[in-house]
Amino acid sequence: MGSPTGRALPFFLILVHIYLHGALSQATRPVGQRKPFLARLRRLEEQFRRFQEVTLTHLQGIASHYNLSVDIEARFRSLARESQAVALALNQSQAAVQEELGHLRTWVRRTQRRGRKADHRLLALSATVSEGSARRLARDVRALRDALLRLTPLVQSQGARLAALEGPLRVAGTSPTTPNVTLAPSRPSNLSAPQLQGGGQASRAPPEPRNPPLDFAHRLQGAQEPRGLGNQQAWPPESPGEVCNVGPALIFPNASTMNVGFLRPGFLTGLRALSICSWVRTAADHLGTLLSYATEENDNKLVLHGRDSLAPGSVHFVIGDPAFRELPLQPLLDGRWHHVCVIWTSILGRYWLHVDRRLVATGSRFREGYEIPPGGSLVLGQEQDHVGGGFDSSEAFVGSMAGLAIWDRVLVPGEVSNLAMGKALPTGAILTLANATSVGGFVQRVNCTCLQLCP
């Protein structure tokens, strides 16, 4: 597109050419004929000047419009750049909002799962407490009935004894000289009446009352009957001495959610019994999660975990959430090595907890007839909220574990004792720390010749 001046120049040259041509032709004419020509030339000059002014005005208008179009184009380019910047900022903001919404959804789902777990556990605990209270009440009633049944013949025999003594005492009271009568301590007698011999002493003493059973007196004083050995809150740890050949050890240095060990291939078949034994050392204020087994159906199929909200050293032994038992492991928080065995069978739902060769807790009717399904994810040191993940630092284990092994049967006390003394590993272990082929975070795998030499 050419400029306005460039377009007007050829037109101007044509007009000059016409003007010169006319001037030359008039110059050859006579003088009389030149005056009209000069007048016409002046008129032509006047017209040319007006045309020049109009042309200049038109060219100025075109130039102003051209400048305006250039400004509009620059403004359009600026607006395009601004719109691109706004679109980019909007996309970034939308991505940030989507990420925050994703975190929020994850947090809400985790909170909902934990809320459901807490509700289920509260319901299970309430049912357990109600069932336990009903059983204790029934036992108290039976004990009271038995005590009353034992006391009834005793009271009847004492009444017969008093009635038998009233007659001789009345006779002795009416005689002029009352003999000294001494009643000896009573013993059980089948005679309907005592036979008095010389000196007024009774040859056979009445039966002395027997004390009620200790458990009955204990209940009458308002104390609750201990539930197995699980209420023994304090027991002296037994020093294991020098223990060697325990196999590899895993060290979890802190509560990072990256610190985890995976036992693979996990459970290949369903379990109706299991024994979990390991050496454990921790100096934390709570035990954390030793083991977690999750499936797509339930992320707490098998868990041994304690979190900072529980009593120090307390561990929840979970099989098929929400069913669990709380186990006392307070002495484990002293920074020393301790041997722990947790054993369960679906037959009558029996379970046992051994610590340093001592049976410290036992019970029954815990997941009676239940089977732990195969095919899940088995994790050490973290509690799973979904298969293979969803870890929480408040439930992480901080410390060391060595010689961990799992059996699909119930270990007998002799086998547990041999394990705690560093003797041969019982046969049939389905998983050991040798199966912890994948560890994450800052977890360290070490091999110690003896337990006391582990870092």
Side-chain angles (χ1 to χ4, degrees), residues 157-170 191-194 196:
S157 64
Q158 292 293 335
R161 170 70 176 170
L162 292 174
L165 288 175
E166 284 180 356
L169 288 176
R170 282 197 298 269
L191 297 177
S192 60
L196 299 179

Side-chain angles (χ1 to χ4, degrees), residues 74-339:
R75 291 183 181 178
F76 271 117
R77 285 197 296 269
S78 176
L79 288 175
R81 287 193 297 269
E82 291 178 0
S83 64
Q84 290 176 356
V86 170
L88 180 60
L90 183 61
N91 290 336
Q92 292 175 349
S93 176
Q94 186 175 7
V97 170
Q98 291 294 337
E99 185 178 1
E100 291 294 332
L101 286 176
H103 291 318
L104 183 60
R105 292 192 191 98
T106 302
W107 181 82
V108 168
R109 286 195 297 269
R110 181 177 296 180
T111 304
Q112 289 176 345
R113 284 197 298 268
R114 291 182 177 174
R116 288 194 295 269
K117 289 180 186 177
D119 291 340
H120 293 329
R121 289 178 180 176
L122 286 175
L123 291 174
L125 183 61
S126 176
T128 302
V129 171
S130 301
E131 182 181 358
S133 300
R135 288 199 298 267
R136 286 195 299 271
L137 182 59
R139 284 195 297 267
D140 291 344
V141 170
R142 285 196 299 270
L144 182 60
R145 185 183 297 113
D146 295 340
L148 289 176
L149 290 176
R150 287 192 296 268
L151 288 174
T152 299
L154 183 61
V155 172
Q156 292 175 350
S157 64
Q158 292 293 335
R161 170 70 176 170
L162 292 174
L165 288 175
E166 284 180 356
L169 288 176
R170 282 197 298 269
V171 173
T174 56
S175 63
T177 59
T178 304
N180 295 327
V181 178
T182 303
L183 296 178
S186 59
R187 293 175 179 251
S189 175
N190 294 328
L191 297 177
S192 60
Q195 297 178 358
L196 299 179
Q197 295 181 353
Q201 290 185 343
S203 61
R204 292 181 181 266
E208 61 182 9
R210 292 178 296 173
N211 293 328
L214 293 178
D215 57 345
F216 174 70
H218 187 65
R219 294 189 188 100
L220 291 181
Q221 293 171 1
Q224 295 182 354
E225 184 180 5
R227 297 168 59 185
L229 299 175
N231 288 348
Q232 295 182 1
Q233 297 297 327
W235 33 267
E238 186 170 324
S239 176
E242 187 176 15
V243 179
C244 299
N245 301 320
V246 295
L250 295 182
I251 301 175
F252 298 80
N254 54 49
S256 170
T257 55
M258 298 174 60
N259 296 339
V260 62
F262 291 91
L263 286 181
R264 294 191 173 99
F267 299 144
L268 300 179
T269 60
L271 302 181
R272 290 187 172 273
L274 84 158
S275 300
I276 305 171
C277 297
S278 176
W279 287 96
V280 177
R281 181 178 63 184
T282 181
D285 57 356
H286 64 283
L287 190 59
T289 303
L290 297 178
L291 179 143
S292 170
Y293 179 67
T295 63
E296 294 293 343
E297 175 193 358
N298 190 330
D299 56 12
N300 285 330
K301 279 296 185 183
L302 171 63
V303 185
L304 275 172
H305 77 115
R307 55 181 299 144
D308 52 7
S309 61
L310 297 177
S314 295
V315 171
H316 280 182
F317 178 32
V318 183
I319 295 182
D321 192 32
F324 74 97
R325 292 293 184 269
E326 186 168 337
L327 305 180
L329 290 173
Q330 288 86 347
L332 266 64
L333 306 181
D334 59 0
R336 300 179 180 178
W337 284 107
H338 296 278
H339 189 258

Side-chain angles (χ1 to χ4, degrees), residues 37-85:
F37 175 74
L38 293 175
R40 290 177 61 189
L41 184 59
R42 283 193 294 272
R43 286 196 302 270
L44 185 59
E45 288 177 353
E46 183 68 24
Q47 290 176 358
F48 179 74
R49 188 171 55 253
R50 291 178 181 174
F51 175 75
Q52 199 174 23
E53 291 175 354
V54 172
T55 302
L56 182 61
T57 303
H58 182 66
L59 290 175
Q60 289 176 349
I62 291 176
S64 63
H65 283 66
Y66 175 75
N67 294 333
L68 181 61
S69 65
V70 171
D71 293 340
I72 291 176
E73 185 176 358
R75 291 183 181 178
F76 271 117
R77 285 197 296 269
S78 176
L79 288 175
R81 287 193 297 269
E82 291 178 0
S83 64
Q84 290 176 356

Side-chain angles (χ1 to χ4, degrees), residues 234-451:
W235 33 267
E238 186 170 324
S239 176
E242 187 176 15
V243 179
C244 299
N245 301 320
V246 295
L250 295 182
I251 301 175
F252 298 80
N254 54 49
S256 170
T257 55
M258 298 174 60
N259 296 339
V260 62
F262 291 91
L263 286 181
R264 294 191 173 99
F267 299 144
L268 300 179
T269 60
L271 302 181
R272 290 187 172 273
L274 84 158
S275 300
I276 305 171
C277 297
S278 176
W279 287 96
V280 177
R281 181 178 63 184
T282 181
D285 57 356
H286 64 283
L287 190 59
T289 303
L290 297 178
L291 179 143
S292 170
Y293 179 67
T295 63
E296 294 293 343
E297 175 193 358
N298 190 330
D299 56 12
N300 285 330
K301 279 296 185 183
L302 171 63
V303 185
L304 275 172
H305 77 115
R307 55 181 299 144
D308 52 7
S309 61
L310 297 177
S314 295
V315 171
H316 280 182
F317 178 32
V318 183
I319 295 182
D321 192 32
F324 74 97
R325 292 293 184 269
E326 186 168 337
L327 305 180
L329 290 173
Q330 288 86 347
L332 266 64
L333 306 181
D334 59 0
R336 300 179 180 178
W337 284 107
H338 296 278
H339 189 258
V340 180
C341 273
V342 179
I343 303 171
W344 168 83
T345 175
S346 63
I347 300 175
L348 300 179
R350 296 294 307 276
Y351 66 93
W352 301 265
L353 170 64
H354 297 265
V355 178
D356 296 333
R357 294 188 294 165
R358 298 176 183 271
L359 178 63
V360 299
T362 185
S364 61
R365 299 190 181 279
F366 176 42
R367 279 304 191 182
E368 184 176 358
Y370 186 76
E371 180 179 294
I372 301 174
S377 171
L378 190 56
V379 166
L380 301 178
Q382 298 285 350
E383 197 273 333
Q384 305 174 83
D385 276 344
H386 57 79
V387 175
F391 305 142
D392 188 338
S393 60
S394 66
E395 298 173 319
F397 171 72
V398 179
S400 305
M401 61 176 68
L404 182 139
I406 302 175
W407 292 263
D408 57 357
R409 63 182 180 87
V410 174
L411 295 184
V412 298
E415 292 175 313
V416 174
S417 180
N418 289 338
L419 270 175
M421 291 188 295
K423 296 184 180 180
L425 190 74
T427 59
I430 59 175
L431 288 170
T432 66
L433 275 187
N435 297 102
T437 56
S438 175
V439 296
F442 304 98
V443 178
Q444 303 175 27
R445 182 197 300 271
V446 295
N447 288 311
C448 309
T449 55
C450 292
L451 197 64

